[in-house]
Amino acid sequence: MASTTTSPHYDVMIIGSGAGGGTLAWRLAPTGKRILLLERGDFLPRERENWDPSAVFVHARYQAAETWYDSNGNGFHPGIHYWVGGNTKVFGAALFRLRKEDFQELRHHEGISPAWPLSYEDFEPYYSEAEQLYHVHGRHGIDPTDPPASRDYPHPPVSHEPRIQKLHDALVRLGYHPFPLPVGAMLDEQNGKPTHNSACVRCDAFDGFPCLVNGKADAQIICVDPALKHPNLTLLTNAFVERLETDASGRRVSQVHVRHDGADEIYSADIVVAACGALNSALLLLRSANDRHPNGLANSSGVVGRHYMRHNNSAFMAISREPNPTKFQKTLALNDFYFRAPDWDYPLGHIQMLGKSHGPTIAAEAGLWENVLPEMSFDTMAEHAVDFWLTSEDLPDPENRIMYSNDRVVLQLTERNMEGHRRLQQKLKDILNATDFHPHLLPHSLYLGKRIPIGGTAHQAGTIRFGRDPKTSALDVNCKAHDLDNLYVVDAGFFVSIGAVNPSLTIIANALRVGDHLISRLH
């Protein structure tokens, strides 16, 4: 039997190095406290394949090689990435604040999006700081749904390339309010071109790709690497946390059992923070069940793993006769239908540009549309494509959950609130027809939509919700477990609703907020 090594004691242990854990490590590193940052993956290799669409999307080179199961027993590969920096290594870096109204109760066609226990005003200063920290390029106040901001973005918007500028101008003529997509990038540009000292080069391999030149504002580059300059912070890679053990009272996490480079090790800390992503943090708490916590840690309410949200998302590709030479396409967004439409009194959602299509990624989905344009190669389709990402709010449902069943990870998901999303797709089709932006290849309009399957977990949230009532929530308003004195969660598991914009900036802002709470507690 292999021996187990016990390590020195730490002041704070953070499990996971993504948007939540990496940002929290950055916040706490200057305190001088002994901090251990655990990451189950390694540093993502910098290699040519970082920018190869076949390697990234078709062969899933950087995705976790795990099989999970749906409620019918069908296996699938979740879109999860175990690297220093977590999923931010491949995110699109669209860094939005939730709208002010998203923190309040909102009525949707199929039900209620519940109010948060804190208000937008509680998060606003941390949103502002998060935008500065993650180099967000944008402009406040153009989007009519934009909430009040106490600081400007640190950088001007990423400029539109000519084809996207043409779309922007057409939208304005029609009375809409397109606005610059807030993007986190180390970009310095003049006249639409990156300067000689800009890390970001405005390439077509940004959205969904690892950045070979470290030009994307991901958690590794922005937070983990700078935090490691502090000698009091230790990073362990290839360190999978198997379970958390509590003391005899059940009120404190006393030991953390880790599989590190194939060896069993035990660590301890005054404060333990789970930041594994909403799904994996819930799994960690569930597999840490013991006599005091028979249903899993922090789960006296029974909510851990439940109320999973991931947005109702779809990719939307418009094919036109005119080629689209745009490289960096992810620069424009539209929220005119975020809360309602002239013909619909419920929220529809958010529209933004998506990273530019590539022939190999279209080929991988060939079954969806190879008979639609049989005369056109996939590379030619990509050259003529204009790509959009549509996001609508799904609603928290206790039966949408992640759990273990006979040692299998099971993700139950029933789509909710889809009518608004269908209407949002139709609105985009109507807009593009009205702009004459697309002289279509075919006599009829051609729009190719792709729904995101169950493995699309990029916007995972809601599995360890926070609140003021321990009977209906797992965490308090500081994201500390109601049931334990030293366990916190700083990924998107704490969300009680998800709005219809990317959750990353809210995760980052919350990590800064919880970090301030922990600094005061540590002193």
Side-chain angles (χ1 to χ4, degrees), residues 302-370:
V303 303
V304 171
R306 295 183 180 271
H307 303 102
Y308 168 59
M309 297 169 287
R310 56 155 210 167
H311 282 142
N312 295 327
N313 287 319
S314 59
F316 192 87
M317 185 168 69
I319 306 290
S320 68
R321 180 180 293 112
E322 181 185 347
N324 176 18
T326 304
K327 292 289 188 185
F328 196 98
Q329 188 169 254
K330 199 176 179 75
T331 58
L332 181 143
L334 188 73
N335 273 343
D336 287 56
F337 310 111
Y338 194 90
F339 292 117
R340 65 191 57 83
D343 57 352
W344 181 250
D345 289 334
Y346 302 102
L348 278 68
H350 163 76
I351 299 169
Q352 64 175 259
M353 305 306 297
L354 188 60
K356 190 74 180 71
S357 286
H358 298 81
T361 56
I362 296 176
E365 305 291 346
L368 290 176
W369 41 65
E370 61 186 342

Side-chain angles (χ1 to χ4, degrees), residues 256-316:
V256 177
H257 294 257
V258 179
R259 189 79 176 164
H260 177 220
D261 283 333
D264 292 324
E265 299 174 356
I266 294 176
Y267 296 86
S268 62
D270 291 342
I271 292 169
V272 176
V273 184
C276 317
L279 292 170
N280 273 298
S281 282
L283 290 174
L284 171 60
L285 299 184
L286 291 172
R287 66 175 177 265
S288 299
N290 58 31
D291 290 344
R292 291 280 185 174
H293 302 275
N295 298 316
L297 294 194
N299 199 26
S300 62
S301 62
V303 303
V304 171
R306 295 183 180 271
H307 303 102
Y308 168 59
M309 297 169 287
R310 56 155 210 167
H311 282 142
N312 295 327
N313 287 319
S314 59
F316 192 87

Side-chain angles (χ1 to χ4, degrees), residues 39 41-46 83-84 220 224-225 228 235 237-238:
E39 171 52 55
D42 208 330
F43 283 90
L44 192 148
R46 298 180 69 187
W83 303 105
V84 178
Q220 178 221 322
V224 177
D225 289 353
L228 286 172
L235 169 67
T237 57
N238 301 304

